[in-house]
Amino acid sequence: MSDDKDNIQLSAVEDHDGILAIRGGGARRDWNGIHYKQGMSAKNVGTTKLSANIATIPPGGVAYAHIHVGFEVILYILEGKVRHEFGPGLKQVLENEAGDFIYIKPEVPHEVFNMSDTEPVVAFVARSSADEWDNIIAYDRNQQTDADLLAPGDNEPRA
């Protein structure tokens, strides 16, 4: 899996004395089975409390099981249909499609599946962390307790 999450294109940011812009969403970066349009975060525009970008899960793709440590996420699905498997052991299931908003509380383990083998899932993603996905840890669906989780800062998905 390609991992170029830190490939930030600083030259894409236009600073207009208080309003910053990235036209066309910036370069694509890949992480954890998802393609991201660069978007905005502390890394390129100096945000202090939030980050946002566009995420694409390719046809048949999976955003591998993970946990957001200490931050909230809101998504709006622009295209496609996803299945979330979530909670301890990823035993709960929720399906969402274009037009749905999704809120993911901090610390909730989840894995996201594109339900189509031919169409991508495209979503606007907003986080209550300026660090984008720096505080995300991999989750093993066989884990049942917090004691089994990876240490914070270990961002590499398990094989």
Side-chain angles (χ1 to χ4, degrees), residues 78-143:
L78 297 162
E79 300 174 22
K81 188 171 182 180
V82 296
R83 181 179 78 249
H84 282 87
E85 295 180 5
F86 65 101
L90 305 180
K91 294 179 180 174
Q92 298 179 68
V93 175
L94 178 66
E95 293 181 3
N96 293 97
E97 60 188 33
D100 291 352
F101 278 98
I102 302 166
Y103 169 68
I104 302 173
K105 293 180 179 182
E107 323 306 331
V108 173
H110 59 284
E111 189 164 48
V112 186
F113 300 84
N114 181 341
M115 296 177 65
S116 173
D117 289 330
T118 59
E119 301 295 324
V121 169
V122 180
F124 173 79
V125 183
R127 298 171 195 79
S128 66
S129 168
D131 296 324
E132 297 180 302
W133 50 72
D134 289 353
N135 295 314
I136 296 176
I137 58 173
Y139 179 79
D140 180 341
R141 70 175 50 243
N142 297 316
Q143 293 174 183

Side-chain angles (χ1 to χ4, degrees), residues 65-70 87-90 106-110 135-156 158:
H66 60 281
I67 295 173
H68 306 150
V69 179
L90 305 180
E107 323 306 331
V108 173
H110 59 284
N135 295 314
I136 296 176
I137 58 173
Y139 179 79
D140 180 341
R141 70 175 50 243
N142 297 316
Q143 293 174 183
Q144 296 296 315
T145 67
D146 289 345
D148 294 329
L149 298 177
L150 295 172
D154 184 354
N155 295 329
E156 297 305 313
R158 292 184 183 169

Side-chain angles (χ1 to χ4, degrees), residues 40-54:
M40 294 181 161
S41 70
K43 296 172 184 172
N44 62 354
V45 298
T47 60
T48 60
K49 296 182 175 134
L50 59 101
S51 61
N53 56 26
I54 300 293

